[in-house]
Amino acid sequence: MAFSSCAEREKKQIKSKPNIVFIMSDDHGYQAISAYNDQLIQTPNIDRIAKEGMLFTNASVTNSICAPSRAVILTGKHSHMNGKIDNLSAFDTTNVTFPQLLQKAGYQTAMFGKLHFGNNPKGFDEFKILPGQGSYYNPDFITNKGDTTVVGYVTDIITDLSIDWLDHRRDPEKPFLLMYLHKAPHRAWLPAQRYLQEFAGKTFPLPETLFDDYKRNTTGGVDISPYSLASQSAEMGIKKHMTLVYDNKIYTETLEDLGIKEPYMQSDPTERMNSEQRIAWKKTYDPINQAFKEAYPTMDDSTLTVWKYQRYLQDYLATIASVDENVGRLLDYLDKNQLSENTIVVYTSDQGFYLGEHGWFDKRFMYEESFKTPLLIKWPFKITPGITEDQMVQNLDFAQTFLEIAGVEAPKDMQGKSLVPILTGEDEHWDRDAVYYHYYEYPAEHSVKRHYGVATKEYKLIHFYYDIDQWELYDRINDPNELHNLYYDPAYSDVVEMMTTKLKEVRAKYKDSPENDQRFIESYNQKIENK
């Protein structure tokens, strides 16, 4: 067929470029996806992406906290390079993001759901985003046409908005980028009405390390504390720091009847609900409160910890059930509208999450459950279905991956690597043997110490700094629960030397330094003072 003009040829090329659907949930631990682990929940729709594509078992984040992770994804640069090191300050919009570049290259772009940046996204033809953390029920949205409130459950609404855009405002002559971003399963884990009863009565297996004592330095005869000081001082323990009211949905009047004083994080989860939603809520949580009132007087610390863990998992996993259901809705839409064959679909989370491991909830640490993130990608005719991949990849790599898929040159200052060689079965060209991590938000909620580190497939070296100076080395193959700090063990002196050298190399490669550490300490402390 002859083209009548250069413009027509260019239009044909743009139309044939792959569509991109980027699905991200918030705080979705890989342990709660049945493609990784089927002990807690079945997620058949999310699993579909792996069955039709690739499941990554060694994907990780560069900074395990919400807004900084999103900044890394959009910019393809580490936190110290894009400036978004914490959740406090707004994103620096002088950064160039991959959606801006795709939009400039002819992609139609849309974002729906949770951004959590402190400002609006650039590079999108249309967006509807939650303000800050957003609400599970009847949420407010910020749009490029004004703010609005939508009645319903947030996970359903975000999907409705995404499908509505695909159905009514997508230009079929253009490739598209859809960023479909869920609030769930972020704390405080409010399930949809239809899943309240189903999950409230379930019991889940206890993690091996639920009652971790944080003793790590048990070898080598070195005169140091036997404890991991960073682990010991973190404030994310299910036993001590998970709240009965905010997290476990026990009513304040129940605590008053039992004489329990819990002065922090008092909130009413039903405050945004309408009468129908509130009735369904009470139908589930009234019996839970009554049962707790009867059982509490006989609970010891261990029994209470287990009870809080079960309550946590019931609500957390119920929110994931809604995510999985709605991912299925979107995948079905793509199939029914003949969009799947030319669309790459990515499912991930902004980081991992603790589901009772080491007695914790939340994230932030470079330890495995927080550092490792789920990643499932399907791309028809490019990815062989059903493949499991253990290459070391990070959220740092998404920007360059999407740009290469779209045929757009990546800016020189992006620091990731395109995943296209892995996706297309040419991973012999993939030469990464280590990844870098750096966490900054301290002192802050959950009191996780500042730290940076390097991980290979075999080992992980972490340096905690600022108000402590402690090193930890873990054998990722033989000690997957990370219970034995080998840094002070003479038998591992060669490994310590090798990993220390590798850490220096990745710090230099990604342009991080002690000067950066000090600069961000000073700027963060100033933000805390001004808050």
Side-chain angles (χ1 to χ4, degrees), residues 39 71 86 89 195 363 393 403 416 435 447 455 468 501 505 511:
Q39 298 302 300
D86 54 56
S89 56
Y195 288 113
K363 59 263 184 179
V393 303
L403 292 175
V435 293
S447 295
I468 62 172
T501 299
E505 290 173 351
K511 301 179 182 179

Side-chain angles (χ1 to χ4, degrees), residues 30-39 41-44 47 324:
Y30 62 90
Q31 317 92 296
I33 295 176
S34 49
Y36 288 98
N37 169 31
D38 62 2
Q39 298 302 300
I41 188 173
Q42 295 298 316
T43 53
D47 292 359
D324 185 70

Side-chain angles (χ1 to χ4, degrees), residues 421-472:
I422 297 176
L423 301 178
T424 56
E426 299 176 0
D427 55 349
E428 67 270 14
H429 302 301
W430 186 266
D431 59 358
R432 180 186 287 156
D433 66 350
V435 293
Y436 181 58
Y437 180 92
H438 199 151
Y439 176 80
Y440 301 85
E441 193 169 296
Y442 178 86
E445 183 181 7
H446 297 303
S447 295
V448 173
K449 304 289 190 184
R450 292 171 180 261
H451 59 290
Y452 56 82
V454 64
T456 66
K457 288 183 180 179
E458 295 80 19
Y459 298 102
K460 187 184 296 180
L461 178 66
I462 308 172
H463 180 213
F464 293 95
Y465 69 99
Y466 179 55
D467 60 336
I468 62 172
D469 181 13
Q470 188 173 56
W471 291 84
E472 298 182 5

Side-chain angles (χ1 to χ4, degrees), residues 329-427:
R329 288 178 59 203
L330 188 71
L331 294 177
D332 288 346
Y333 178 90
L334 296 175
D335 287 347
K336 291 175 183 176
N337 290 273
Q338 291 78 51
L339 290 170
S340 293
E341 288 190 358
N342 195 37
T343 299
I344 180 169
V345 177
V346 176
Y347 186 89
T348 190
S349 177
D350 50 356
Q351 62 262 319
F353 211 67
Y354 293 105
L355 303 183
E357 299 88 0
H358 307 294
W360 288 333
F361 64 101
D362 207 69
K363 59 263 184 179
R364 301 168 196 260
F365 275 115
M366 195 185 174
Y367 302 137
E368 198 69 4
E369 291 81 10
S370 169
F371 173 63
K372 180 176 174 177
T373 191
L375 178 59
L376 307 84
I377 303 178
K378 78 182 188 82
W379 188 8
F381 311 114
K382 295 289 186 178
I383 296 176
T384 302
I387 293 218
T388 298
E389 177 57 69
D390 73 342
Q391 292 282 11
M392 303 197 73
V393 303
Q394 288 194 291
N395 57 350
L396 184 70
D397 301 321
F398 290 136
Q400 281 159 277
T401 302
F402 297 143
L403 292 175
E404 181 173 345
I405 286 169
V408 178
E409 185 176 356
K412 301 298 183 186
D413 63 347
M414 283 189 174
Q415 297 180 303
K417 288 170 64 71
S418 170
L419 302 178
V420 168
I422 297 176
L423 301 178
T424 56
E426 299 176 0
D427 55 349

Side-chain angles (χ1 to χ4, degrees), residues 132-144:
Q133 295 289 359
S135 303
Y136 273 101
Y137 279 84
N138 308 325
D140 298 325
F141 283 89
I142 300 167
T143 83
N144 46 359

